[in-house]
Amino acid sequence: MFNYLRKRFTSHLRERSRRRARLVSKDGRCNIEFGNVERSRFVFLIDIWTTILDLRWRYKMTIFISAFLGSWFLFGLLWYVVAYVHKDLPEFNPSINHTPCVENINGLTSAFLFSLETQVTIGYGFRCVTEQCATAIFLLIFQSILGVIINSFMCGAILAKISRSKNRAKTITFSKNAVISKRGGKLCLLIRVANLRKSLLIGSHIYGKLLKTTITPEGETIILDQVNIEFVVDAGNENLFFISPLTIYHIIDKNSPFFHMAAETILQQDFELVVFLDGTVEATSATCQVRTSYIPEEVLWGYRFAPIVSKTKEGKYRVDFQNFSKTVAVETPHCAFCLYNEKEAKAKEKKGYDNPGFVLSEVSETSDTKM
């Protein structure tokens, strides 16, 4: 038992040591941080709307609650000051004919309640402003206007956070692995993508970036160098009819960065394939982007995806997501270079070539047989 646990722990440590750092996680989050930013954080307050939208929910709700409670308490203090200056409080023993600025404010608690009623327009009718002092009337108008601004901004931020197209992107899923196999007589890298909603993404466009470390002829090392990867489907890579899962593929030709990779060497490569899907949400007309990434351990050479679309007896098309990321081993050339050489060799065999240096010479035969 101890030896088994030791082996499992050793294999776990070995796997963690081989684990590669990824720029983009499987769910599309970017693993990057900024250090020594010279510009002040005040620039983020200038674009306060985007800053609020980018905050996490716990921070957003903290700001939401603090904004309302803070404004209620602040104006409650101001109402208390107005009552104190006008000597409306019970400790001043006002006369029977005394008309207060605000009826029934007896202390800080009642001033806070009146501030709450004013800003959220509850209007219980027990406390109200009189026409005795202009200061109270001005404070009432100012709090009402400021309350509308706070309500509009905070409620708009909550609504925008809920309806962001980023949430729609969570219903677009990619296959766990990418596969490399032959498709249409060509060696291709294939990825499966599915839309979990029946509503479409309009004007969808799929493309990819291969991130790797390169060294320029001048000796400069470029980390996260980006190489364009073109993905297509049988109907093109734009204006996809994205109602059922699609298999997108990248043709590994001589212009592809995967051309010089082979089944035996792909795991030794250092790259990250980031795949993007851009589209417009049909319900809200907002644009969204879905992204994921694949490292060499997640690229399976010599496999294809299992079929997932079938037709029922009732005539409906059924998508079985149980086989969405399932792969099947198929016969595949171990490198793209070998596949193209094999095609060229077969083409030469069919076409045939003449050897211009070949000369036919006649040889006279002599017989040594004597009769």
Side-chain angles (χ1 to χ4, degrees), residues 315-332:
K316 295 183 178 181
Y317 292 93
R318 183 175 184 271
V319 179
D320 186 7
F321 280 95
Q322 184 177 1
N323 296 333
F324 179 72
S325 295
K326 186 177 180 180
T327 57
V328 180
V330 293
E331 183 179 354
T332 306

Side-chain angles (χ1 to χ4, degrees), residues 19-61:
R19 189 175 299 172
R20 305 172 190 259
R22 0 177 31 127
L23 177 66
V24 179
S25 62
K26 298 296 288 185
D27 58 356
R29 298 181 180 179
C30 296
N31 179 27
I32 191 170
E33 63 179 15
F34 299 101
N36 299 323
V37 180
E38 296 181 358
R39 302 193 67 178
S40 173
R41 294 186 180 272
F42 181 74
V43 297
F44 295 98
L45 296 179
I46 297 176
D47 187 14
I48 186 64
W49 180 253
T50 305
T51 303
I52 293 295
L53 290 183
D54 288 340
L55 289 178
R56 295 186 178 182
W57 274 108
R58 54 179 177 268
Y59 302 124
K60 186 185 292 294
M61 294 307 299

Side-chain angles (χ1 to χ4, degrees), residues 130-183:
T130 64
E131 57 184 15
Q132 182 64 27
C133 51
T135 305
I137 298 175
F138 173 79
L139 186 58
L140 176 66
I141 295 174
F142 182 72
Q143 184 177 5
S144 299
I145 295 175
L146 186 62
V148 171
I149 295 175
I150 295 177
N151 289 338
S152 301
F153 184 85
M154 298 309 301
C155 294
I158 296 295
L159 180 60
K161 182 75 172 180
I162 296 175
S163 60
R164 290 185 75 178
S165 56
K166 185 177 181 181
N167 298 326
R168 176 64 174 92
K170 296 183 182 299
T171 56
I172 306 295
T173 180
F174 288 89
S175 57
K176 181 180 179 181
N177 297 300
V179 298
I180 294 179
S181 60
K182 292 177 64 176
R183 186 183 182 93

Side-chain angles (χ1 to χ4, degrees), residues 105-129:
I105 286 187
N106 303 318
L108 186 59
T109 302
S110 58
F112 174 78
L113 292 176
F114 178 73
S115 173
L116 172 62
E117 296 169 12
T118 301
Q119 188 163 328
V120 299
T121 64
I122 294 178
Y124 290 124
F126 182 69
R127 301 179 182 90
C128 60
V129 177

